[in-house]
Amino acid sequence: MRKQMKALIDCNNFFVSCERVMDPSLHGKPVVVLSGNDGCVISRSNEAKALGIPMGCPAFQIGNYTRPDSVVQLSANHRLYCNISDRVMHIVGMEEGNIEIYSVDEAFFSLPDDPVETIHPRMAALVRKIQQWVGIPVSIGFAPSRTLAKIASHIAKKDRRITDGVYWLVRREAIDTILRRTPISDVWGIGRRTTSSLQEHGIATAADFVKMSPGLVRSFYNVTLERTHRELRGEDCATVSPVTDSRKSLTHSRTFGQVVTDFETVHDAIVSFAQHLAKRMRDEQVVATEVGVFVRGDSHRTDLPFYQNACSIVLPTPSDSTHRVVEHAVRALGCIYKPGMAYRKAGVWACSLLPTSDVQLNLFDPIDYSKQRRLMASVDAINKHYGAPAVQLAPTADTRAWSPHQVHPGRQSKTLLFMM
């Protein structure tokens, strides 16, 4: 019986590709997407890569590689990227049915025990369907294990001789050839410190690593690296946590676009963060036992006093209600806010999360939680139908002086966003 194949689908230059869906005039141009507050490069088109612009390059250093006006710089629009990611993952799930989402632009899925000559055309058809239906170019690699599928997907993306976006590593001789060409630093799951340690012992490529005995890898390093070692040998050992697993904590934070010095603006930001956090909890069907807030100044400004602090409050009854989360977040802010300080970042977190079905009500809590749940369900339904934030708490209705600094907005299509 043949081993079941593992496949990885990877969206190429994902953030840039999303911007090109919204603005087709960007095709063929060097494009980079910048992080929050337009800080550094987080996605590059192939044309930008050809200019030598590295990932993580600060925006002000782009001029070191080319004329800044020759590169299209766009502020990140994560709402758009999540929407398009959902569409891509929906198509993959619809076609394959057993998707394991790894990140916003990557997902694993299992393939049946069919010959590779049958699998390859089907994967190529999936690549074409996503390109046609969503407009996002993707690459697919499949192999006996997830780690090998990751390598295959990378080859499918980088090798210009591959025209259909699909590459597979199944035959042992082909796997050995590719592993000899793969630096140990490029293997999924091996970080910089482990790479340095392995290189000190003469392990330069993935093939050198495979030659080590599993017991030796485990005794010198850990069981996680032993799994990677077995994966490179073709054993499927890696695990990907399903996106439905309950988290232990959630955080929503932002770096402000400018230094904030007044309480009203920080308060407005905390209320907005708490609303988003409560919505995420309801989406994941968890409730918070504890809600906390942190504030932080600008450590790079020597002309301003630096201050940072955090505070958390235990809820009488675990809740995902926007009103309850906002109420306790504002109370926590009141405990740590210090007048006269300059604030550059703030956030709200919820921890000790429990599944919604496991909530133990407090006999002495006067809040009617069944009414709260019905109210939140109605608010979420309205926002889903008309688009958030159709209904929100009043403090966040004013202009957001704390919003991230974004001077390179991309083109928006309200029609496409509404359809998604």
Side-chain angles (χ1 to χ4, degrees):
M1 182 176 177
R2 292 185 297 271
K3 291 183 178 179
Q4 191 179 45
M5 294 290 108
K6 295 295 180 181
L8 172 69
I9 184 166
D10 186 2
C11 300
N12 303 341
N13 310 326
F14 182 55
F15 294 169
V16 169
S17 297
C18 292
E19 296 291 349
R20 285 174 166 173
V21 170
M22 310 302 288
D23 186 0
S25 67
L26 296 176
H27 284 281
K29 298 179 181 179
V31 181
V32 296
V33 173
L34 304 176
S35 63
N37 291 302
D38 293 343
C40 60
V41 174
I42 57 174
S43 182
R44 306 162 294 162
S45 66
N46 291 332
E47 296 80 6
K49 294 176 183 177
L51 294 174
I53 300 174
M55 183 68 80
C57 171
F60 68 88
Q61 291 184 1
I62 291 178
N64 296 344
Y65 303 92
T66 185
R67 296 195 331 271
D69 59 353
S70 66
V71 179
V72 179
Q73 302 179 42
L74 299 173
S75 302
N77 183 354
H78 292 287
R79 182 185 174 195
L80 168 66
Y81 308 150
C82 289
N83 280 331
I84 293 183
S85 173
D86 289 343
R87 295 191 73 188
V88 173
M89 300 307 171
H90 175 74
I91 294 173
V92 178
M94 182 175 61
E95 293 293 323
E96 300 301 326
N98 54 2
I99 184 172
E100 300 172 59
I101 298 176
Y102 178 62
S103 67
V104 71
D105 64 341
E106 292 178 296
F108 290 98
F109 55 93
S110 300
L111 295 171
D113 297 332
D114 295 334
V116 293
E117 294 78 10
T118 303
I119 297 175
H120 191 130
R122 194 170 83 247
M123 295 299 99
L126 179 57
V127 171
R128 292 192 300 270
K129 176 176 284 190
I130 294 173
Q131 176 71 60
Q132 180 181 4
W133 288 17
V134 188
I136 299 296
V138 300
S139 302
I140 297 178
F142 62 93
S145 68
R146 290 175 175 85
T147 302
L148 289 175
K150 185 88 170 176
I151 294 174
S153 175
H154 181 77
I155 295 172
K157 180 190 297 188
K158 300 295 183 181
D159 196 330
R160 295 184 178 180
R161 295 171 296 178
I162 299 172
T163 58
D164 59 1
V166 180
Y167 190 81
W168 47 272
L169 288 173
V170 177
R171 298 186 178 93
R172 190 67 247 177
E173 58 271 17
I175 295 175
D176 293 339
T177 300
I178 294 300
L179 293 183
R180 285 194 294 270
R181 300 175 183 173
T182 304
I184 191 63
S185 58
D186 289 350
V187 176
W188 179 42
I190 297 183
R192 285 179 293 182
R193 290 185 179 179
T194 305
T195 296
S196 299
S197 177
L198 289 170
Q199 289 174 341
E200 290 175 359
H201 291 85
I203 308 299
T205 66
D208 297 333
F209 182 55
V210 167
K211 293 177 183 177
M212 297 178 65
S213 69
L216 186 63
V217 174
R218 186 170 189 170
S219 61
F220 271 88
Y221 296 96
N222 50 53
V223 67
T224 302
L225 195 63
E226 183 192 0
R227 291 196 191 103
T228 301
H229 180 271
R230 293 183 181 276
E231 285 259 322
L232 291 173
R233 290 189 168 194
E235 302 177 36
D236 186 39
C237 305
T239 57
V240 179
S241 299
V243 294
T244 54
D245 278 1
S246 296
R247 305 172 188 255
K248 300 301 181 183
S249 64
L250 287 170
T251 302
H252 190 97
S253 63
R254 289 289 184 273
T255 300
F256 302 152
Q258 58 188 353
V259 171
V260 174
T261 57
D262 61 289
F263 177 78
E264 289 75 16
T265 302
V266 179
H267 172 273
D268 186 53
I270 292 298
V271 170
S272 179
F273 299 165
Q275 286 194 88
H276 282 88
L277 191 65
K279 178 60 169 64
R280 287 176 60 188
M281 286 192 288
R282 293 194 295 273
D283 289 343
E284 301 190 17
Q285 298 182 354
V286 294
V287 293
T289 303
E290 186 176 341
V291 172
V293 167
F294 74 87
V295 292
R296 179 181 173 85
D298 191 340
S299 59
H300 301 287
R301 292 282 298 272
T302 57
D303 59 322
L304 296 174
F306 179 76
Y307 172 73
Q308 64 178 353
N309 209 338
C311 175
S312 63
I313 297 177
V314 177
L315 277 65
T317 301
S319 176
D320 59 6
S321 167
T322 296
H323 299 82
R324 300 292 279 173
V325 175
V326 169
E327 175 191 353
H328 287 82
V330 170
R331 283 180 54 196
L333 174 65
C335 295
I336 60 175
Y337 180 82
K338 191 174 181 180
M341 296 293 106
Y343 300 95
R344 191 61 194 274
K345 185 174 183 178
V348 180
W349 77 82
C351 59
S352 301
L353 301 180
L354 299 173
T356 305
S357 57
D358 293 353
V359 176
Q360 180 69 46
L361 298 180
N362 187 335
L363 182 63
F364 302 101
D365 193 341
I367 301 298
D368 185 347
Y369 284 93
S370 62
K371 184 177 180 179
Q372 290 272 333
R373 285 193 292 270
R374 293 195 301 271
L375 176 60
M376 291 298 100
S378 299
V379 169
D380 292 341
I382 293 172
N383 284 333
K384 182 177 181 180
H385 182 77
Y386 292 102
V391 178
Q392 59 179 340
L393 294 183
T396 61
D398 297 331
T399 302
R400 297 180 178 181
W402 50 267
S403 296
H405 178 69
Q406 295 185 320
V407 297
H408 305 288
R411 179 179 297 180
Q412 296 293 323
S413 171
K414 293 183 179 179
T415 302
L416 183 57
L417 286 174
F418 177 77
M419 291 175 62
M420 290 190 292

